[in-house]
Amino acid sequence: QEWIEYTNQTDSFGVSFPGEPKVKDITYTTEYLIDLPGRVYSYDSGLSHYSVTVADYTNLEKIETDRVKSCRAAGKAAGKDGDSCMDTWMTDMRGAIIYATWKFIQRGGKITHFAYSRADLVEGHELYLTNADGSRTFAAAYMHEYRLYILEGTVPANSPPPSLFYQSMGFLDK
């Protein structure tokens, strides 16, 4: 089967997929429970799964600032101080790659590789897992221009690793 070089101008990335991916709009929930718009680009063939999830963090600061203002106003009305209304947008943004990686680790499986990564000069994490059924997942997470990119390639046991998929990740400039 011929792989294709898929590019998406809307979410500013390019990656090799084994075929044309399906695109689905999603809501991505951050570590601090902020709902952000996103999309999943996926291709499935038999027991193999490839996906790129893109979460748009562009409006995170505004969303969180508005939440804090509402929280503080509600606290004042109830006669409480506003200390429980912490502004977490910067922590949420800076921890996005770690959180995405943590979500893979929580799924279980044996971690066989976990490292700092760079794709197209964009920093991130990469993680290889051997799952309970023997399948292997190669995952990566990157933050570029206020977008979180989460790649996942999972292949059955005894199949070649999904290296072409995750190593082909690139980012498109405006």
Side-chain angles (χ1 to χ4, degrees):
Q1 177 175 334
E2 291 292 320
W3 283 62
I4 64 166
E5 181 60 35
Y6 178 79
T7 58
N8 185 281
Q9 296 293 328
T10 302
D11 283 323
S12 305
F13 75 95
V15 70
S16 293
F17 270 109
E20 191 68 29
K22 295 178 186 173
V23 182
K24 178 182 175 187
D25 289 329
I26 62 160
T27 298
Y28 180 83
T29 303
T30 71
E31 181 177 9
Y32 289 88
L33 306 177
I34 304 296
D35 289 336
L36 301 175
R39 273 177 285 288
V40 175
Y41 302 83
S42 63
Y43 183 87
D44 293 296
S45 176
L47 298 175
S48 297
H49 169 77
Y50 303 88
S51 68
V52 177
T53 300
V54 183
D56 187 351
Y57 277 66
T58 305
N59 293 317
L60 178 65
E61 182 177 9
K62 181 184 180 332
I63 293 167
E64 181 64 357
T65 300
D66 291 347
R67 185 201 63 80
V68 168
K69 284 179 185 174
S70 295
C71 178
R72 288 185 178 152
K76 276 188 179 181
K80 299 179 182 176
D81 64 23
D83 288 347
S84 63
C85 304
M86 298 290 295
D87 187 344
T88 60
W89 81 268
M90 184 61 77
T91 304
D92 214 359
M93 175 82 72
R94 289 186 175 166
I97 294 169
I98 293 169
Y99 182 65
T101 305
W102 175 241
K103 297 301 283 182
F104 280 107
I105 292 169
Q106 285 182 309
R107 290 179 4 189
K110 180 181 177 186
I111 299 170
T112 58
H113 175 77
F114 177 39
Y116 165 85
S117 178
R118 284 190 345 175
D120 208 9
L121 301 178
V122 175
E123 296 180 308
H125 289 170
E126 64 183 43
L127 180 68
Y128 304 170
L129 298 164
T130 301
N131 304 305
D133 65 358
S135 64
R136 291 183 293 164
T137 298
F138 282 33
Y142 304 97
M143 179 67 79
H144 182 62
E145 295 185 358
Y146 299 101
R147 286 190 179 98
L148 176 66
Y149 298 86
I150 305 167
L151 285 80
E152 177 181 358
T154 299
V155 295
N158 302 319
S159 293
S163 303
L164 175 63
F165 172 66
Y166 93 94
Q167 289 178 348
S168 68
M169 183 65 180
F171 301 92
L172 306 177
D173 294 327
K174 291 178 180 159

